[in-house]
């Protein structure tokens, strides 16, 4: 077994994808804080018009339900790298560490946390990662994915309540009191939702497609074109429902919800292909974004700090009155500041604090400084 990978030995494309992905995560989470108004489909406020409606449609076809499967695929990529150099026990330990960090995040800040769900998936699939072929992992992914899509058909109408109800709590005490139950339910459901993408990410990691993107531009282009087209087409019907163009009900509503879920997996693959293509060529800012991607967990957690401080009802309270456009801009500004700060620190040779914590807990006997 070897220890953790040093910064100098990392390939740029997965980290670039993580850096870009953080912008989409910020956008996906920011709208969940718009809680003191009627809530429609997918946690969006109902009655959106004008620029808010345009932003909602764009988010629904390119971000909503697409971001966390994409993040999961990159988690799977990382697990594939870990499994190559470490035994199953270390892979399981990584999963336990992520569950612990996710619990702290969910209990203290944002019960919509996704880190714990990824940790649970890693913990449960660790034996399969060591023994199953790529074909076997894809078959497992497909079976779980079909179940998730069918399950999603049951959530076909407007929510009526916020996706994360505790965000609307008027006091800090009420805010924290709602977190344990919300985090547990979110973690279990999100683990099921993202497990197919984690397994696909492991297969992608084994294929070395992201490690050598210039040699796989054809494959990446197929992923990008096919995935994005499918993701937009399957997500558009529910996107139009979000902005009030129509109100699918009954069986039609179930089909629309299931299509959106299926489009999430397709869209995630499309975004990953696009990010792989961006990693295959040089362009201004690529290095800084990739450097920031090495701090992805720290930046993800820091976004929650900003959103709670600025948007939560009991704290900054801006979520009570902000438009969707404003919340989106706050998310993007948070991402941009994080990229600049983390990118510069990473280029100077500094690991993110939570990345260091994960490595130290995963490799308790290994030296975790960069080599």
């Amino acid at each position: 077994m070897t220890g953790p990978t040093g910064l100098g030995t990392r390939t740029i494309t997965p980290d670039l994808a993580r850096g870009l992905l953080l912008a989409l995560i910020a956008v996906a989470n920011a709208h969940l804080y718009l809680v003191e108004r009627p809530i429609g489909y997918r946690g969006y406020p109902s009655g959106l018009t004008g620029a808010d409606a345009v932003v909602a449609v764009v988010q629904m076809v390119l971000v909503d339900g697409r971001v966390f499967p994409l993040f999961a695929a990159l988690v799977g990529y990382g697990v594939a790298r870990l499994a190559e150099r470490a035994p199953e026990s270390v892979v399981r330990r990584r999963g336990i560490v992520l569950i612990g960090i996710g619990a702290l995040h969910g209990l203290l800040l944002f019960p919509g946390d996704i880190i714990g769900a990824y940790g649970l998936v890693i913990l449960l699939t660790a034996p399969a990662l060591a023994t199953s072929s790529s074909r076997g992992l894809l078959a497992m992914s497909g079976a779980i994915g079909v179940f998730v899509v069918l399950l999603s058909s049951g959530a076909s109408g407007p929510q009526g309540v916020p996706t994360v109800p505790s965000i609307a709590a008027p006091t800090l005490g009420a805010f924290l009191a709602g977190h344990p139950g919300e985090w547990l339910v979110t973690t279990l459901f999100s683990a099921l939702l993202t497990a197919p993408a984690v397994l696909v990410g492991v297969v992608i990691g084994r294929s070395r497609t992201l490690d050598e993107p210039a040699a796989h531009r054809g494959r990446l282009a197929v992923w990008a074109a096919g995935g994005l087209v499918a993701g937009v087409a399957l997500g558009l019907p529910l996107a139009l429902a979000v902005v009030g163009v129509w109100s699918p009900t009954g069986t039609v509503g179930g089909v629309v919800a299931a299509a959106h879920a299926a489009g999430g997996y397709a869209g995630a693959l499309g975004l990953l292909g696009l990010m792989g293509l961006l990693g295959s060529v040089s362009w201004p800012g690529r290095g800084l974004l990739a450097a920031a991607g090495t701090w992805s967990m720290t930046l993800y957690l820091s976004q929650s700090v900003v959103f709670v401080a600025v948007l939560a009802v009991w704290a900054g309270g801006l979520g009570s009155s902000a438009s969707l456009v404003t919340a989106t801009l706050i998310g993007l500004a948070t991402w941009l500041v994080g990229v600049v700060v983390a990118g510069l620190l990473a280029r100077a040779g500094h690991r993110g604090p939570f990345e260091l914590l994960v490595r130290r807990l995963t490799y308790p006997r290994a030296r975790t400084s960069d080599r």
Side-chain angles (χ1 to χ4, degrees):
M1 183 188 81
T2 61
T5 303
L7 288 176
T9 62
R10 298 172 70 102
T11 54
I12 190 172
T13 303
D15 286 330
L16 173 64
R18 294 182 184 102
L20 292 168
L21 174 61
L22 286 163
L24 302 181
I25 292 174
V27 168
N29 286 341
H31 86 272
L32 299 179
Y33 288 83
L34 305 180
V35 291
E36 292 204 339
R37 64 205 73 185
I39 303 297
Y41 295 89
R42 301 294 294 181
Y44 282 89
S46 59
L48 295 173
T49 59
D52 281 349
V54 173
V55 169
V57 170
V58 172
Q59 290 186 14
M60 283 293 295
V61 299
L62 293 177
V63 178
D64 186 88
R66 281 89 177 121
V67 171
F68 292 121
L70 173 56
F71 201 173
L74 291 170
V75 169
Y77 167 89
V79 171
R81 296 281 83 83
L82 177 62
E84 289 175 353
R85 65 179 187 270
E88 182 185 325
S89 60
V90 172
V91 177
R92 289 199 306 269
R93 190 182 302 132
R94 173 64 61 83
I96 293 170
V97 169
L98 294 184
I99 292 172
I101 292 175
L104 289 175
H105 181 217
L107 296 177
L108 296 177
L109 284 171
F110 180 56
D113 163 81
I114 197 67
I115 295 175
Y118 295 148
L120 182 59
V121 173
I122 292 171
L123 182 63
L124 295 177
T125 61
L129 299 181
T131 60
S132 298
S133 65
S134 293
R135 183 173 296 179
L137 293 178
L138 288 176
M140 188 185 308
S141 171
I144 299 173
V146 169
F147 177 73
V148 169
V149 169
L150 293 175
L151 185 66
S152 298
S153 66
S156 57
Q159 290 181 196
V161 297
T163 302
V164 185
S166 60
I167 289 176
T171 65
L172 174 59
F175 176 74
L176 294 174
H179 286 182
E182 291 173 0
W183 176 77
L184 181 60
V185 171
T186 297
T187 297
L188 294 175
F189 181 75
S190 296
L192 179 63
L193 176 69
T194 59
V198 171
L199 296 174
V200 170
V202 171
V203 174
I204 290 172
R206 291 176 177 179
S207 74
R208 303 288 175 179
T209 301
L210 296 182
D211 299 308
E212 302 169 348
H216 297 94
R217 285 196 184 113
R219 177 185 298 175
L220 292 167
V222 170
W223 290 359
L228 289 174
V229 168
V232 170
L234 291 170
L236 189 58
L238 191 56
L240 296 177
V242 166
V243 296
V245 172
W246 73 317
S247 299
T249 59
T251 301
V252 174
V255 171
V256 167
H260 185 76
Y265 295 124
L269 184 63
L271 289 169
L272 185 61
L274 178 60
M275 292 173 178
L277 291 173
L278 290 173
S280 71
V281 295
S282 296
W283 42 275
R286 187 184 77 152
L288 185 67
L289 274 168
T294 66
W295 282 52
S296 59
M297 180 180 292
T298 296
L299 291 178
Y300 169 68
L301 296 173
S302 69
Q303 287 180 1
S304 292
V305 175
V306 174
F307 291 165
V308 168
V310 175
L311 296 170
V313 172
W314 70 269
L318 190 58
S320 300
S321 58
S323 67
L324 178 60
V325 170
T326 298
T328 300
L329 291 175
I330 290 171
L332 291 175
T334 302
W335 165 76
L336 183 59
V337 172
V339 163
V340 172
V341 173
L344 293 176
L345 287 171
R347 282 182 159 183
H350 300 288
R351 292 272 195 186
F354 282 94
E355 285 72 18
L356 276 176
L357 177 63
V358 169
R359 282 162 174 77
R360 285 171 178 162
L361 294 176
T362 302
Y363 304 95
R365 297 182 181 85
R367 184 168 68 91
T368 58
S369 60
D370 298 331
R371 293 189 283 273

